[in-house]
Amino acid sequence: MEVFVQQLINGITLGSIYGLIAIGYTMVFGIIGMVNFAHGDVFMVSAFIALIALLLLTTWLGIGSFVIALFIVLVVAMFFTSLLNWAIERVAYRPLRGSFRLAPLISAIGMSIFLSNFVQVAQGPRVKSIPPFFNEVIVLTPASSGYEVAVSYKQIVVWLVTAALLFVFWFLVSKTALGRAQRACEQDQKMAALLGIDVDRTISITFVIAAALAAVAGTMYLMYYGVVSFADGFVPGVKAFTAAVLGGIGSLPGAVIGGLLIGLIETMWSAYFSIDYKDVAAFSILAITMIFLPQGILGRPDVEKV
Amino acid sequence: MALEASAPASRVDIIGALRQAAITALITFGLLLPLIGFNTVQNIRNEIVLETRWPLLAALVAIIAAGRFLHAILIAPWLARRAQRQRREDAVRTAPRARGARWVVPFALGFAAVYPALALSLAGTQGAVKWVDNFGVQILIYVMLGWGLNIVVGLAGLLDLGYVAFYAVGAYSYALLANSFGLSFWILLPVAGCLAAFWGILLGFPVLRLRGDYLAIVTLAFGEIIRLILINWVPVTNGYTGISSIPRPTFFGIPFNASDEGFAARFGLEFSPVYRTVFLYYLILALALVTAALTVRLRRLPIGRAWEALREDEIACRSLGINTTNTKLTAFAMGAMFAGFAGSFFAARQGFISPESFTFMESAVIVAIVVLGGMGSLLGVAIAAVIMIGGTEIMRELDFLKAVFGSDFDPTQYRMLLFGFGMVLIMVWRPRGLIATREPSTLLNASRSSRRHEEKAQSTRPSLVRGRHG
């Protein structure tokens, strides 16, 4: 039981990170119908940006307060990652709109390879680790029991930041003119354009939001695990994509639910079965969902029009 | 008159180009500031510290801004002029290009046939090993993989991102069966092909209901699952350590070694490793040509036509009574079979395999070759393989770059970087690949349908290249 509760806590933390990345996949897929393969690598780049910002703040500027540092790191990472994703959309995807179906996907794969190798060349192939900090935990079980169930402050930070940003983001999509424009473009781009919505701009903003959430995930990932390397984009990217598919691609609450589920499945699998095969479990879920439940938990069934 | 018209335009252009260059410089600065401007390094106490690289950052920003400026004042107007000219000439073109292509194929085949002899005569027996092995064999493996995947991606239009899994199945089949049962390469080559095809069907069966990018992602997942199993199933596959001392192929029973029974001794030659390399070269050349020949023949068969019809329009296919599942499965199995052949060749050539050789990157490289070469075009795929694999091999040889960029400059690091960049660039520049013209495999009425083909090419090109608005 204690193991289960502990894994539940770990799983929700991991799932929050996956959920944040998954929203990027689901939004981009919703609006232009492409699998943004490079999104996992955008996430990885954002973790690097957060790493550099953190080092800059702590070692050069000497900011001691954890909360202020984290806040600034988040803002910096969100800004630069958004710029990156905006530029990627401009350079690699926009010219391909209206091209044949697989062209943007292939371009995105190229971009993914480019980004991970760019980071490898620019920052070196070694795993970067930050000095351990903020390691206090809250022990939930009484001291007498054998197994300690603990929640670390880091995990609470991950939950709070994720929840806060999800709320901001939900507000943006459901209550503002921008969100309405986005949903209009999702449904019918031509009609939206006729009604005076700048479709290109809306798509750009979608990429910017996706990147900002990926940057939050990247910062949380860096803080939670304390390490990042150039190869860290691929597997979390695929898992987050799995989450998006599992939740129903195109559905925002679905992405969050999918992310939490994938995080829980992964930690439970590692705890009760075999840690070696945890990635196999995630990839299998992807295949199984795609085959048996392609519309996901909350997604609309995909009707093919001729 | 044309001069008068263009003079004021070009003056405006320079100001516009400067502005564009300035904007590009600003954006590039923002993009590169974190990752190029700062470097994270470990110091002596193994702590992570920041270093700045302002000169590098400034140089990169300047280069990119200059490139943007030149693009705006030189390349963009040139492209516009060319597009205008092309639109006028389009009706009369296409015939000379086809005549050129007719000469390329026999020339390329002839060159491939005499390449080892050429390398031997130019580089000597010692130097030729490197040239035949690194360039010849290595490129031909990818040509063969490209042609195999071309059946799946180019003909049937199914984007398979897990192709390397079948390559791995072929390689491990050969390695395990040869090591545990002592069977020869020539028996195991078809066995490995069959096993790979079987896996193709097994993995293909559940996923083929999916469309486009979903299929791509699921094949990617399967590819990764197979690799992870190879890593974790240690009792059979030996995990990360891989399988070593895999028997090498023999020349009809004669091994390539220094013994009295060896190839060199039997034919009264001095022993040299180059004979094995040359033999392997011709072996993979033959395998690749078999793949190409089969593809050419298959395209003429009903199944080949069904593949291409499927690529163009799946719904139309289904309404014409084509069994799409079977058609896709045969394409999958056929592609997997060739990957299996290539895999067993790879295992036999290396003598050592490990899961490291079968990562997603490998799949991406093969997909890149097929896509960049022009999906469906055998010649294009071969050219792309030569450029991309040959190019990366050449990067290993470019020692003079070290003199330019300093001694710790390693050109091979940039290999995948350029690869990814090339993929994006070619997609944006020519979404249909280097060789975009596909000969229709069947003509009802030669003159009428070729005219219609041209019309179609004209009508689709703007939507492909310039379709930028929704």
Side-chain angles (χ1 to χ4, degrees), chain B residues 48-66:
Chain B
I48 193 160
V49 288
L50 280 182
E51 277 176 1
T52 54
R53 292 185 288 200
W54 304 126
L56 180 66
L57 176 66
L60 283 175
V61 169
I63 288 169
I64 291 171

Side-chain angles (χ1 to χ4, degrees), chain B residues 111-463:
Chain B
F111 181 75
V114 299
Y115 177 70
L118 211 64
L120 275 172
S121 61
L122 288 179
T125 31
Q126 288 307 312
V129 174
K130 183 182 87 180
W131 286 96
V132 176
D133 196 50
N134 288 5
F135 287 88
V137 177
Q138 185 74 7
I139 289 174
L140 281 172
I141 288 179
Y142 281 92
V143 169
M144 179 170 179
L145 286 170
W147 280 346
L149 184 63
N150 179 48
I151 296 175
V152 186
V153 179
L155 296 187
L158 308 163
L159 186 57
D160 183 353
L161 292 180
Y163 193 62
V164 80
F166 308 124
Y167 187 44
V169 168
Y172 272 88
S173 307
Y174 173 66
L176 291 173
L177 292 173
N179 272 354
S180 33
F181 299 108
L183 296 170
S184 91
F185 175 76
W186 295 103
I187 294 170
L188 289 177
L189 183 71
V191 172
C194 289
L195 280 171
F198 168 72
W199 274 91
I201 294 172
L202 208 68
L203 298 188
F205 200 71
V207 303
L208 291 175
R209 284 189 307 149
L210 304 169
R211 282 177 302 111
D213 13 18
Y214 273 33
L215 180 103
I217 303 287
V218 175
T219 51
L220 180 147
F222 277 145
E224 283 298 296
I225 289 173
I226 288 197
R227 190 177 66 88
L228 290 167
I229 289 174
L230 289 180
I231 289 172
N232 289 315
W233 197 14
V234 180
V236 173
T237 63
N238 218 4
Y240 275 117
T241 333
I243 302 172
S244 49
S245 65
I246 300 165
R248 302 307 196 90
T250 55
F251 183 75
F252 301 105
I254 307 171
F256 289 90
N257 55 22
S259 72
D260 287 347
E261 294 295 297
F263 181 84
R266 284 278 183 96
F267 288 87
L269 300 161
E270 200 183 329
F271 173 74
S272 159
V274 80
Y275 298 123
R276 190 209 317 265
T277 316
V278 171
F279 171 69
L280 287 174
Y281 175 84
Y282 282 112
L283 180 57
I284 185 69
L285 182 64
L287 283 171
L289 290 181
V290 166
T291 315
L294 242 118
T295 312
V296 170
R297 299 304 299 171
L298 279 169
R299 279 185 65 178
R300 307 246 164 90
L301 291 177
I303 182 72
R305 292 180 190 173
W307 287 339
E308 290 189 276
L310 199 66
R311 174 191 66 203
E312 298 304 329
D313 194 333
E314 188 173 340
I315 296 171
C317 259
R318 212 177 297 158
S319 53
L320 285 172
I322 292 173
N323 183 337
T324 50
T325 310
N326 282 359
T327 313
K328 286 179 180 175
L329 268 185
T330 40
F332 235 69
M334 202 63 88
M337 183 182 79
F338 287 121
F341 289 154
S344 62
F345 174 82
F346 175 75
R349 171 213 179 201
Q350 302 286 97
F352 164 76
I353 49 169
S354 76
E356 290 290 294
S357 311
F358 307 105
T359 56
F360 166 69
M361 272 304 155
E362 223 45 36
S363 281
V365 167
I366 305 166
V367 168
I369 286 171
V370 175
V371 169
L372 302 188
M375 290 191 257
S377 158
L378 290 179
L379 182 64
V381 170
I383 292 173
V386 170
I387 293 174
M388 304 197 74
I389 306 302
T392 52
E393 291 294 326
I394 281 179
M395 285 180 111
R396 270 185 236 270
E397 312 288 326
L398 295 178
D399 284 333
F400 73 89
L401 284 176
K402 284 197 174 143
V404 181
F405 292 105
S407 56
D408 55 345
F409 181 80
D410 179 13
T412 47
Q413 271 193 330
Y414 295 85
R415 161 179 180 229
M416 291 310 289
L417 188 75
L418 291 176
F419 223 104
F421 189 66
M423 262 171 104
V424 176
L425 208 65
I426 295 208
M427 267 301 117
V428 173
W429 175 51
R430 302 185 72 143
R432 289 279 178 185
L434 290 172
I435 296 196
T437 46
R438 267 195 301 247
E439 296 295 313
S441 29
T442 164
L443 297 174
L444 291 176
N445 173 332
S447 65
R448 186 156 48 111
S449 63
S450 74
R451 191 164 65 235
R452 202 184 298 150
H453 189 66
E454 260 165 39
E455 275 167 25
K456 202 184 162 212
Q458 248 177 344
S459 66
T460 51
R461 192 173 295 128
S463 74

Side-chain angles (χ1 to χ4, degrees), chain A residues 136-159:
Chain A
E136 296 85 347
V137 295
I138 303 168
V139 178
L140 298 178
T141 44
S144 56
S145 72
Y147 189 89
E148 271 187 5
V149 175
V151 183
S152 70
Y153 281 16
K154 279 181 190 171
Q155 287 172 324
I156 296 174
V157 170
V158 172
W159 299 344

Side-chain angles (χ1 to χ4, degrees), chain A residues 97 122-123 128 249 291 302, chain B residues 35 38 40 209 211 214 467:
Chain A
R97 234 174 272 158
Q123 297 290 326
K128 310 283 176 183
I249 197 147
I291 293 160
D302 187 14
Chain B
L35 291 179
F38 297 97
T40 47
R209 284 189 307 149
R211 282 177 302 111
Y214 273 33

Side-chain angles (χ1 to χ4, degrees), chain A:
Chain A
M1 186 61 203
E2 283 86 358
V3 178
F4 180 79
V5 175
Q6 183 67 59
Q7 291 306 321
L8 198 68
I9 293 167
N10 296 345
I12 289 172
T13 315
L14 186 61
S16 314
I17 294 174
Y18 287 154
L20 284 169
I21 312 173
I23 289 175
Y25 279 108
T26 221
M27 280 179 77
V28 168
F29 192 90
I31 201 156
I32 53 173
M34 80 173 259
V35 178
N36 184 7
F37 201 86
H39 197 61
D41 293 280
V42 170
F43 155 77
M44 177 272 297
V45 171
S46 79
F48 264 89
I49 294 172
L51 168 73
I52 287 163
L54 186 72
L55 288 175
L56 206 60
L57 286 177
T58 50
T59 59
W60 284 23
L61 303 176
I63 290 179
S65 157
F66 174 77
V67 179
I68 297 172
L70 183 71
F71 182 75
I72 298 174
V73 166
L74 260 179
V75 171
V76 169
M78 281 164 89
F79 173 75
F80 282 106
T81 315
S82 300
L83 183 69
L84 173 72
N85 218 19
W86 175 82
I88 289 174
E89 194 267 338
R90 248 341 236 277
V91 171
Y93 308 148
R94 187 174 293 182
L96 292 171
R97 234 174 272 158
S99 183
F100 74 111
R101 202 181 147 82
L102 293 176
L105 178 63
I106 292 161
S107 184
I109 293 170
M111 199 33 98
S112 154
I113 296 173
F114 176 80
L115 285 178
S116 62
N117 283 279
F118 175 75
V119 172
Q120 183 185 7
V121 169
Q123 297 290 326
R126 292 177 68 171
V127 172
K128 310 283 176 183
S129 52
I130 54 172
F133 66 104
F134 205 52
N135 285 320
E136 296 85 347
V137 295
I138 303 168
V139 178
L140 298 178
T141 44
S144 56
S145 72
Y147 189 89
E148 271 187 5
V149 175
V151 183
S152 70
Y153 281 16
K154 279 181 190 171
Q155 287 172 324
I156 296 174
V157 170
V158 172
W159 299 344
L160 289 180
V161 171
T162 307
L165 278 150
L166 280 180
F167 176 76
V168 171
F169 171 74
W170 166 82
F171 182 80
L172 211 64
V173 170
S174 61
K175 303 281 172 194
T176 61
L178 171 69
R180 273 194 299 279
Q182 245 165 12
R183 280 175 287 148
C185 287
E186 245 170 66
Q187 284 178 6
D188 192 334
Q189 277 185 20
K190 217 172 264 173
M191 192 64 208
L194 282 174
L195 293 174
I197 292 170
D198 189 340
V199 175
D200 279 345
R201 186 170 154 268
T202 312
I203 292 173
S204 281
I205 292 173
T206 308
F207 274 85
V208 163
I209 295 176
L213 289 173
V216 177
T219 311
M220 295 297 115
Y221 181 88
L222 177 76
M223 184 197 74
Y224 187 53
Y225 290 105
V227 290
V228 63
S229 92
F230 75 96
D232 278 355
F234 179 65
V235 170
V238 175
K239 284 180 186 161
F241 179 74
T242 309
V245 171
L246 187 62
I249 197 147
S251 152
L252 300 176
V256 179
I257 293 171
L260 289 175
L261 272 175
I262 292 291
L264 284 173
I265 291 168
E266 190 182 322
T267 44
M268 294 295 168
W269 184 282
S270 309
Y272 291 103
F273 299 102
S274 126
I275 197 157
D276 288 338
Y277 282 95
K278 75 178 165 113
D279 288 351
V280 174
F283 288 123
S284 308
I285 291 167
L286 174 62
I288 291 166
T289 325
M290 287 256 189
I291 293 160
F292 295 107
L293 194 72
Q295 78 275 16
I297 299 169
L298 295 178
R300 298 176 294 266
D302 187 14
V303 182
E304 202 173 340
K305 288 180 199 150
V306 182

